[in-house]
Structure formats: structure tokens, C-alpha cells
Amino acid sequence: MQSTSDMIQPIKWQDQQLHLLDQRLLPTQQLWLNYEHASEVSNAIRDMVVRGAPAIGITAAYAVVLAAREAWNKAGVNWKQAMYEPLAKLAASRPTAVNLSWAIEQMTAIYVNLPETYSPEKALLEAATHIHQQDIAANQTMGKLGADLIDPDSMVLTHCNAGALATGGVGTALGVISQGYSDGKIKHVYVDETRPWLQGARLTAWELLQGKIPTTLQADVTAASLMASGKIHWVIVGADRIAANGDVANKIGTYSLAVLAKYHQVKFMVVAPLSTIDWQTETGKQIEIEHRPSREVTHIANQQIAPDGVKVSNPAFDVTPAELINAIVTEAGVVLSPSVTTMKKLHKHN
Ligand SMILES: CSC[C@H]1O[C@H](OP(=O)(O)O)[C@H](O)[C@@H]1O
């Protein structure tokens, strides 16, 4: 497992500013963007400068700090009234990853109890930093719990990016994969390129090569024949929102991998912190699926690949029913055969 000192960190709070690694330019360009205004951070989440459910939550927590600074400077003792608008914009920046609303709720529960008479920035920065550090620790714990489920010399398939670039730490799915590689459990990782935004090709392959983990990149459409070959023992993915019954919303294409895995007796693991579980949503049917701009499908690296005017469908996520999942790994423990009943063991930890 990479130590936290040498892992990739897409989010940094330095010199009273939020610094985000622009993930739209990876892997060929590493550009850091600096933010002092909550509104601009909302745009950065919407535009996927930063992405990945836990990373979005951590970024939102720091955005609340920026919003509080602006509110104090603008409204003084009436700063709390000036928080509503920026936090509403922040909450609306992306609808599916519950970590965004979770982080805003955590920060709101703190700021409403702060005195009006002096700046809330210091107290809120401590809270945001704690959320960030909690995620780093959760990644480490999940890495160990997930790797323990994997037999030696396994080969695994992952989809999208659930690594350091999607979290505060070493990653959720990639945290399990890097721990599993370190433990001699995983000998090779297959990575779906993950059309249309290419998180797998651009981000996951980059992270795994940095970690010197044997990796093969493939087109998404290769997954079925790869599983038919018998080479794959586990599919390991992250999550953006997990319903109370264990249904999982994750990057589009995850559901098809789960169906293929069930057909080919490949085990299916979802790795996500407790902040990704939405106990207020009973099943996956109630999860809002984000639809993103058509250009993400009709262009690759600003190169048009489809005819002008073509009708486009671009849902960013799909829902995998709990019955297709063998294990949900969280920092509070592992749920095998997730269901509304088995998920309850995690609820007491919230
Ligand atoms: C560690 S959860 C990452 C999760 O978020 C990704 O979506 P996006 O890149 O659109 O934010 C994908 O669903 C990953 O599994």
C-alpha cells in the first residue's frame, strides 16, 4: 500500500486556498487550479475538474470554508444568511454522488451552531480537514478488508476510476487493488477505458502504472469475452451512492459488468466509505442519475467523432441491484450478499 506521503493527492488546502489537480487534462498534463470562491468550486465539480464521489465530498467541505469566509466578509454578524445561496449552488453541482450532500450537511450542522460574532473560517477549516483525514483513513481500512477477501494470484477487472484521484487517500476500489497487489493476492489488473469520459484509460491506468501494478487497458466492450476466458476472479469497483438495500449507483457500464460477472461466476466487489451510503434512499430506483453534455460522447479530446445533430444519450451512472453484488466493503466492515437486512449492520456506524 502506498504511504500517504507518496500517493497522488488531487485536493490540497494551502495558503488559505483550495488547490485542485485538473483531472480533465490527465494523464498528459498536470495542471493545478487555485480557488478562493465557493461558486467557482461548484463549477469545478460540475465540470469535473475534480470528480469521484469521496473527492467531491471533500472538495465541497473546503468550498463551505470558502463560502463562510466570503459570507463573513460580505455580511459580518449576519454571515449565516449569506451561506444559503452558495451552498445551494454547491449542492446542485452534481446530483448522483451522495458524498456531496453528505459533506454539506456535515459542515452545515457545525456552522449553524457557531457564534455570529466572529469569523467561522477557522472552525470550519478544522471540520473540512477532519473530513479529508477521515477519508484517507477509511481508504486504508477498506484496502485491507477488501484485500482479505481475495485469493492469492487473482486477476481482477476494474471500471472507471475509484483511486486516489477520486478520494482523499489511496482510493476505494484501487485501495483494495493496491493492498491486494502488495499482499500477493492480485497479480494483474484489467482496466476498462470507461467511455465516454475515459476515467479508466486516463486516470486509473495512470495511477496503477505509478504504483507499478501489472495493468492491461482494454475497451469497455472487451469485458464480456475477458470474463468468458476464465481469467477474471473479481470485478472491483467504487460507488457514487448506495441505497439502504445495497443497490449501487456507479459509473455507467457497472451494471453490465455485474450481469456478466453473475453469468460467468466472477465475484463482484463494491468498495465505498460510509459517506456513500444513503440510508434515506430505500432502493436504487430512487437514485437520480446524472445526464451529462452530449459533447462528452460526440467528441474525444475535442476531436469530433460523430455527425453534427445526432441525438445523444449520456447517463453518467447506472444502478447495480444488490443481488448481483457479492460484497460491499466499507471502513466499518464488509457486507456479504448485500440486502436491506444485511446492510443494517452498517447503519449503527453512521
Ligand atoms: C471512489 S468513487 C468514484 C466513482 O466516481 C466516478 O464517477 P465520476 O468520475 O463521474 O465522478 C465513478 O462512478 C467512480 O466509481
Side-chain angles (χ1 to χ4, degrees):
M1 174 74 78
Q2 282 178 309
S3 67
T4 51
S5 58
D6 60 7
M7 75 185 169
I8 301 154
Q9 297 180 56
I11 308 162
K12 292 178 183 170
W13 181 271
Q14 280 172 342
D15 307 326
Q16 299 180 320
Q17 287 183 339
L18 178 63
H19 301 256
L20 297 177
L21 178 62
D22 189 344
Q23 300 191 32
R24 299 172 299 182
L25 304 178
L26 292 174
T28 53
Q29 194 180 340
Q30 295 187 38
L31 174 69
W32 286 89
L33 301 178
N34 307 334
Y35 295 86
E36 291 183 287
H37 303 290
S39 175
E40 291 169 359
V41 178
S42 299
N43 294 343
I45 292 171
R46 179 201 64 201
D47 299 342
M48 296 176 71
V49 169
V50 61
R51 32 62 51 196
I56 289 170
I58 295 163
T59 300
Y62 286 121
V64 174
V65 179
L66 295 174
R69 176 193 298 164
E70 291 173 288
W72 173 256
N73 292 339
K74 176 180 165 187
V77 295
N78 297 313
W79 62 270
K80 289 185 184 180
Q81 284 78 357
M83 292 289 278
Y84 301 134
E85 188 183 337
L87 266 56
K89 180 179 179 182
L90 186 61
S93 52
R94 289 189 78 187
T96 305
V98 70
N99 310 62
L100 175 59
S101 54
W102 171 84
I104 294 169
E105 284 161 13
Q106 296 288 311
M107 298 296 283
T108 298
I110 290 168
Y111 91 68
V112 295
N113 292 313
L114 293 175
E116 280 82 359
T117 47
Y118 54 85
S119 169
E121 182 173 343
K122 182 173 182 293
L124 288 174
L125 180 57
E126 285 172 9
T129 304
H130 178 65
I131 286 173
H132 195 167
Q133 289 167 344
Q134 266 187 316
D135 193 69
I136 292 171
N139 283 193
Q140 301 282 349
T141 304
M142 290 187 286
K144 296 184 178 72
L145 291 174
D148 285 348
L149 301 175
I150 300 170
D151 292 330
D153 292 331
S154 292
M155 294 201 280
V156 304
L157 168 64
T158 192
H159 189 72
C160 198
N161 172 257
L165 291 168
T167 64
V170 289
T172 55
L174 292 197
V176 170
I177 287 171
S178 53
Q179 184 69 55
Y181 179 68
S182 302
D183 295 349
K185 301 292 194 66
I186 293 174
K187 65 180 180 181
H188 203 98
V189 184
Y190 288 83
V191 177
D192 278 350
E193 63 176 348
T194 316
R195 283 270 306 150
W197 213 75
L198 303 175
Q199 290 92 333
R202 298 189 303 106
L203 308 180
T204 295
W206 183 65
E207 287 197 40
L208 292 174
L209 291 188
Q210 303 246 345
K212 297 182 174 41
I213 296 174
T215 298
T216 298
L217 176 64
Q218 64 180 23
D220 300 323
V221 291
T222 310
S225 52
L226 176 67
M227 286 195 230
S229 74
K231 283 184 183 174
I232 299 298
H233 303 89
W234 282 90
V235 174
I236 305 176
V237 297
D240 291 83
R241 189 184 295 244
I242 301 174
N245 73 337
D247 291 348
V248 169
N250 195 51
K251 184 53 52 195
I252 190 76
T254 302
Y255 172 45
S256 47
L257 289 177
V259 171
L260 287 167
K262 181 66 84 179
Y263 181 81
H264 291 290
Q265 292 87 45
V266 170
K267 292 178 189 168
F268 199 89
M269 183 191 303
V270 175
V271 189
L274 292 173
S275 53
T276 305
I277 302 176
D278 176 3
W279 297 107
Q280 279 64 53
T281 297
E282 287 184 17
T283 74
K285 290 184 173 53
Q286 291 91 37
I287 297 175
E288 182 183 348
I289 299 299
E290 177 187 13
H291 284 257
R292 293 195 59 84
S294 299
R295 187 180 173 85
E296 292 182 358
V297 178
T298 60
H299 290 67
I300 290 186
N302 286 321
Q303 180 67 44
Q304 185 169 337
I305 58 167
D308 289 336
V310 65
K311 189 170 168 42
V312 173
S313 170
N314 184 20
F317 304 98
D318 58 24
V319 174
T320 297
E323 62 263 26
L324 295 179
I325 299 168
N326 295 87
I328 292 179
V329 177
T330 79
E331 69 274 37
V334 176
V335 173
L336 298 174
S337 304
S339 68
V340 66
T341 306
T342 58
M343 286 292 288
K344 286 192 170 118
K345 80 178 232 187
L346 296 177
H347 203 176
K348 61 178 180 288
H349 294 280
N350 269 71

